[in-house]
Amino acid sequence: MSEIYDFPFRKVVAVSASDAPTPGGGSVSALVGSLGVAMTAMVGNLTAGKPKFKDVEPEVKEITGAAYFIINKLEKLVSADIAAFGKFMDVYRMPKNTDEEKARREEMMQKALKTATDTPMEIARTLLEALEITDRLAKIGNKMAISDAGVAAYICEAALNAVLLSADINIPMIKDEEYVKNIVAEKEQLVSRAKELKEKAVAVVQERMR
């Protein structure tokens, strides 16, 4: 399923709606987030090169470049999320007939659960980066397209919150208490910071549209 980016969009929706296990919530969240940050890139492209925005052009180009970098990173993370789920299912199907098999399966399961948690966490961190550059662009982007910076902010925050559910579902099964403690603490920071950035960006967008 790593070739999902080569699918027609209609097929992406159809596969997501089907009973196929992937793409699941983590991958779909990353896909949606990539559309959000694409709006950031679009506002940047509609700003750079315009004489009216010459003074901010270097920063706008930097932001636009960062947006494309994030889009590419999210594509890789979609594949990573799908692979992590596949690995989890492989471990889930491991035999557990003997004590030795059970112990081996449990060891591999704990590793798979961490991988299946680390990937959505990295997607969330990446979406936070998207919100940071969107907040910057909201202040200086072309006013004729600035509403799309607000769209980016809303979508990226929603995708961040959504993808963290893919971490939440694994946490109760992970036995490493220190790992769980760190993940829960980081999740709270990500959610809080994302909300702050979204609200700042949207407030600026709304003010500039008046």
Side-chain angles (χ1 to χ4, degrees):
M1 191 59 67
S2 60
E3 71 277 12
I4 193 167
Y5 271 74
D6 297 321
F7 288 176
F9 187 69
R10 193 181 301 279
K11 185 174 180 180
V12 174
V13 174
V15 173
S16 299
S18 75
D19 61 357
T22 57
S27 305
V28 167
S29 297
L31 287 167
V32 170
S34 68
L35 289 173
V37 72
M39 292 293 93
T40 305
M42 185 183 76
V43 175
N45 285 322
L46 289 170
T47 305
K50 303 292 192 297
K52 185 177 180 180
F53 301 100
K54 185 177 180 180
D55 291 345
V56 296
E57 183 161 329
E59 184 176 2
V60 169
K61 285 185 174 180
E62 177 196 338
I63 292 169
T64 307
Y68 280 112
F69 178 83
I70 290 169
I71 290 168
N72 290 333
K73 186 176 179 181
L74 287 170
E75 179 176 350
K76 293 182 176 74
L77 286 167
V78 167
S79 295
D81 185 74
I82 290 170
F85 183 79
K87 181 63 176 176
F88 173 83
M89 291 307 298
D90 288 343
V91 174
Y92 185 80
R93 297 185 187 103
M94 286 176 68
K96 48 182 178 178
N97 300 312
T98 66
D99 289 343
E100 186 177 273
E101 286 178 347
K102 289 177 183 177
R104 177 60 176 163
R105 181 179 181 274
E106 179 59 25
E107 179 188 355
M108 295 300 293
M109 179 63 74
Q110 289 300 308
K111 291 180 180 178
L113 285 167
K114 285 185 177 181
T115 300
T117 302
D118 290 340
T119 305
M121 289 297 293
E122 185 60 24
I123 292 171
R125 295 181 197 113
T126 303
L127 289 168
L128 189 66
E129 294 174 12
L131 281 161
E132 287 168 347
I133 62 170
T134 300
D135 177 53
R136 287 172 59 195
L137 187 61
K139 303 176 182 72
I140 59 175
N142 190 335
K143 286 181 69 174
M144 297 299 293
I146 205 61
S147 63
D148 292 307
V151 170
Y154 275 122
I155 290 176
C156 288
E157 189 212 15
L160 184 151
N161 285 321
V163 79
L164 289 175
L165 290 171
S166 293
D168 289 338
I169 197 169
N170 298 320
I171 288 172
M173 295 182 284
I174 297 175
K175 295 179 179 178
D176 185 338
E177 293 181 3
E178 187 65 21
Y179 174 87
V180 169
K181 179 182 175 181
N182 291 335
I183 289 293
V184 170
E186 185 180 4
K187 277 178 61 272
E188 292 174 355
Q189 293 170 0
L190 287 165
V191 170
S192 175
R193 181 60 176 156
K195 181 180 179 182
E196 177 187 350
L197 287 166
K198 181 263 293 180
E199 289 179 350
K200 282 174 59 183
V202 170
V204 169
V205 166
Q206 290 175 335
E207 179 62 31
R208 294 190 68 201
M209 288 193 300
R210 292 192 182 102

